[in-house]
Amino acid sequence: MAEKVLQIRDLHVTFDTPLGPLEAVRGVDIEVEAGELLGVVGESGSGKSVSFLATMGLLPTRARVTGSAILAGEELIGASPKKMRDVRGRLLSMIFQDPLSALNPVHRIGDQISEMLRSHQDLTHRESGKRAIELLDIVGIPQPADRARQYPHEFSGGMRQRVVIAIAIANNPKVLIADEPTTALDVTVQAQILEVIERVQARFGTAVVLITHDLGVIARVADRVNVMYAGRNVEQGPINSVFDHPSHPYTRGLLASLPRAGKQRLKPITGFPPNMLQPPRGCAFHPRCEFAAEICRGDLPELRQVDDLQSACVRAKELPRIGIFV
Amino acid sequence: MTTQLLKVTNLVKNFELRLNNGARRRKRIVQAVTNVSFAVEKGQTLGLVGESGSGKTTVGRCILRLIEPTSGTVEFEGEDLGSLKFEEMRALRRKMQIVFQDPFASLDPKMTVGASISEPLTVQNVPGDHTDKVIELLELVGLAADHAQRYPHEFSGGQRQRIGVARALALNPALIVLDEPVSALDVSIQAGVVNLFEDLQQRLGMSYIFIAHDLSVIRHIADRVAVMYLGKIVEIGDQQDVYEKPSHPYTKALLSAVPVPDPKSERARQRIMLEGDVPSPVNPPSGCRFRTRCWKAQDVCAQEEPVLLQRASGQFSACHFPET
């Protein structure tokens, strides 16, 4: 059994809105194993980003966060701001969709990487500057010594995302959380960035959590996948199993709705994502589920082992396990 | 036998960029679209794919004359749109409509859905009461008659996009430009909207120009596909030919970069990894614009601009060293 570097248990996040409390994350359990690449998939509003922002301590104070997130033996939920500042960047880093807003426009790239290094390590300016250039080289930026002296506006979108990755891995964190890191990029550049992330993961043994809505990206790079819907985990397991014989009707519906080679008609999931101010009773997916029965409207379903997968579908065992790919 | 509805010949659109560099004022030209030619048949779908900055949206807007082309001609049902006066163009627009990417920005939040859908009818002075027509349109796109009284904020993204489609259909157009119509929607919702486009085309027989960066959606919906790179069409052909035996190296690289949602085949794939980013359209590379990222580039690619040549029946590519 691989070592668990990050264990999120029964995480809840509630926001107070003018229309009443909105529970965006409703009891999420996620385990990240050392050195693995965990894909977290879900549509907008499924709580995938909010879960990890809560873990990072990056939500506004009006958000009410309960539950537990243990990273290398330390509890992060409810930890003091001082403690979180020490954890962020050293043990746990996060990168986002838009690399431009993650960089400071008036500071040189090299200095921004050095700042991250010196805030957690006792280094001289000269040492951190040298290390910054090495990091730029690791993430595949040509002429790193020259580029370190440039400003963010002199970099293209793909190059900026590489810089952000360099900053995130500067102190060799245990876990790197990448929230839609390629969504704003063109597909040929996306391929480059995914390759950089995989390279960093292999070279430093960093565990990566890749949050995305793109099942193709997940299929390419993830070892395991965790599917979220309406603030809950609905399914998790090894990549091949989830894509081969998904146990949850939502996962199955997502995979079936994608266009594939050939002209066969697409199969959308009927209905709409739930209003999180008033999520449906029981399994939040039941109003859209073709297999919904009376039992689905009962209690909130928990993840249970179904062969090599964990599924939150109470009917997972009785539903036929049809392979979507032959 | 199909007949031509739209013919675009040597379309060029340059945007002027004024840079204010201290004391020096410089004018720069952004070559957004350069010598683009293609045709759209009646009842068919042309897919326009390309990465950001490839000029695909500009082509769509030039066709409708939402922006004026710098040069080139757009012929619609045999009529040269460039020669039309303002009023004539306006009358013709009832046959050409557009659906935009962002269903949150393209509807007026203060207008009821019914008012938004009937606005084209009012603008084009269609006489009579439009209530029945609005209900018919709402039902056509899979919404209910009583939705007409509601406001956009009451609808989800997928429903709003359907409202945008209903509005585009109000005047029975012969051509609809769909500019990234499903990109802003969640995966599970996309499929339903794509199906709607297919159903409507089957029932009403209009043509689509489907602009997207998502190659799998284009593959599903398009009859013909034009691949754009830095303002030019590098390859155009029937959907199956372009996807199964791409002729231009860029098409091949683009197809190979798209992740397929199947872990086994995805990991077994031979991938072409392109180096670098798309160059700036202010100062595009000489000769072939793709040559700076192309693994096949030779001296000739910098010197001579390749022209679109037929490689197979109906399949054209602009490359000195085509794949097929």
Side-chain angles (χ1 to χ4, degrees), chain B residues 1-19:
Chain B
M1 183 63 202
T2 47
T3 47
Q4 218 166 59
L5 178 73
L6 180 85
K7 192 173 170 211
V8 175
T9 316
N10 292 329
L11 186 74
V12 175
K13 178 65 195 177
N14 296 331
F15 291 102
E16 229 172 64
L17 202 66
R18 286 201 180 81
L19 295 174

Side-chain angles (χ1 to χ4, degrees), chain A residues 154-325:
Chain A
E154 297 174 82
F155 286 68
S156 66
M159 286 293 160
R160 283 177 197 143
Q161 196 61 289
R162 288 174 198 255
V163 171
V164 173
I165 293 171
I167 295 175
I169 61 162
N171 295 303
N172 198 4
K174 292 205 178 304
V175 182
L176 170 67
I177 300 165
D179 189 358
E180 302 270 7
T182 60
T183 307
L185 304 173
D186 281 320
V187 47
T188 56
V189 179
Q190 165 175 288
Q192 299 167 0
I193 297 298
L194 291 177
E195 204 239 310
V196 171
I197 291 175
E198 286 189 297
R199 202 188 321 148
V200 163
Q201 182 208 8
R203 177 159 174 177
F204 300 105
T206 317
V208 178
V209 178
L210 183 73
I211 304 172
T212 179
H213 67 279
D214 188 332
L215 287 155
V217 169
I218 294 284
R220 174 176 297 183
V221 297
D223 303 312
R224 287 193 310 131
V225 57
N226 187 310
V227 185
M228 291 187 64
Y229 186 79
R232 301 275 294 178
N233 309 110
V234 295
E235 173 152 26
Q236 60 185 6
I239 178 82
N240 284 334
S241 309
V242 171
F243 278 77
D244 250 9
H245 46 263
S247 68
H248 198 286
Y250 174 64
T251 317
R252 201 177 286 192
L254 268 187
L255 287 166
S257 70
L258 297 173
R260 294 171 195 279
K263 286 280 183 191
Q264 63 272 54
R265 196 169 164 80
L266 301 181
K267 292 188 216 67
I269 301 178
T270 53
F272 313 105
N275 173 2
M276 293 302 286
L277 286 165
Q278 292 154 327
R281 265 184 65 79
C283 171
F285 187 61
H286 86 252
R288 303 175 73 185
C289 182
E290 55 183 312
F291 306 109
E294 202 43 49
I295 185 174
C296 305
R297 295 177 188 87
D299 296 330
L300 260 180
E302 299 289 335
L303 282 179
R304 286 184 308 181
Q305 199 72 32
V306 180
D307 299 332
D308 53 349
L309 295 167
Q310 287 178 295
S311 176
C313 177
V314 291
R315 303 191 64 199
K317 278 192 175 144
E318 26 169 332
L319 298 180
R321 295 184 65 179
I322 316 150
I324 287 182
F325 310 106

Side-chain angles (χ1 to χ4, degrees), chain B residues 199-250:
Chain B
D199 294 345
L200 291 171
Q201 189 172 51
Q202 214 157 37
R203 276 178 68 172
L204 307 170
M206 75 288 246
S207 307
Y208 293 138
I209 294 180
F210 198 105
I211 301 170
H213 67 278
D214 184 336
L215 282 108
S216 49
V217 170
I218 292 275
R219 174 174 209 167
H220 182 80
I221 201 163
D223 300 300
R224 273 178 84 72
V225 177
V227 182
M228 291 190 69
Y229 185 79
L230 260 186
K232 305 193 88 169
I233 291 180
V234 296
E235 176 156 8
I236 183 167
D238 288 343
Q239 172 266 126
Q240 210 168 349
D241 297 337
V242 171
Y243 277 81
E244 278 168 21
K245 39 184 181 65
S247 162
H248 198 284
Y250 176 63

